[in-house]
Amino acid sequence: MDSQNKSNKPQIEKNHSFWQSWQHAWSGLKTVVKEERNMQTHLVLGAVALLAGWYFQLTTSEWLWLCLAIFMVMLCEINNTIAENICDLVTGPHYHPLAKKVKDIAAGAVVFAAAFAVLVGLILFVPKIWQFVLTR
């Protein structure tokens, strides 16, 4: 019974093990995927890009570029979510121009990473798609 009550209490002390840290990190990833529509979109588009990479049999270096682009977008989206949540925590329901600035900059980082991902996708896939079209 005590262990059930203990798990319902918020943790206020440091993590005691790697496993405990891992559980918190996994919980954070699940939260961002569940609550952020843009992260869900990035996951779907990333999966489509990975399937295209598999279909077109990318080389090792091409896989590295593709994975870098996908992970950069997702990392920026996670950081954007962090910035939004911290701003909302600090400002509550009130508007503050600095909170808007932070949120806009974090969103800009996502757009910047997404533009990089699109560029990588074009460089990797346009020649392969063009070759596929020509051989049909």
Side-chain angles (χ1 to χ4, degrees):
M1 178 129 170
D2 188 46
S3 64
Q4 285 179 341
N5 291 339
K6 198 172 193 178
S7 65
N8 291 334
K9 291 181 182 178
Q11 179 182 337
I12 56 172
E13 70 277 350
K14 261 184 101 125
N15 294 331
H16 296 291
S17 67
F18 174 78
W19 179 246
Q20 193 176 30
S21 298
W22 177 261
Q23 287 175 309
H24 291 303
W26 185 248
S27 176
L29 288 173
K30 288 190 303 188
T31 299
V32 76
V33 169
K34 180 180 166 191
E35 295 180 5
E36 296 298 322
R37 178 180 33 93
N38 288 342
M39 180 57 101
Q40 295 165 5
T41 301
H42 297 315
L43 282 170
V44 169
L45 293 175
V48 168
L50 291 173
L51 288 172
W54 172 77
Y55 180 81
F56 287 112
Q57 300 178 344
L58 296 181
T59 65
T60 300
S61 62
E62 290 171 331
W63 274 113
L64 290 171
W65 281 104
L66 182 63
C67 289
L68 174 66
I70 292 168
F71 277 86
M72 276 185 56
V73 172
M74 290 184 188
L75 285 171
C76 285
E77 186 61 47
I78 289 168
N79 284 323
N80 182 46
T81 301
I82 292 167
E84 289 175 349
N85 279 277
I86 290 173
C87 287
D88 292 346
L89 176 67
V90 171
T91 62
H94 306 290
Y95 172 83
H96 195 285
L98 285 177
K100 179 191 181 320
K101 188 176 185 179
V102 168
K103 288 180 174 187
D104 290 351
I105 292 168
V110 177
V111 170
F112 199 71
F116 173 74
V118 168
L119 182 63
V120 168
L122 290 172
I123 292 168
L124 292 179
F125 293 118
V126 167
K128 294 177 186 312
I129 292 169
W130 184 248
Q131 186 63 36
F132 177 79
V133 169
L134 289 178
T135 59
R136 292 284 157 177

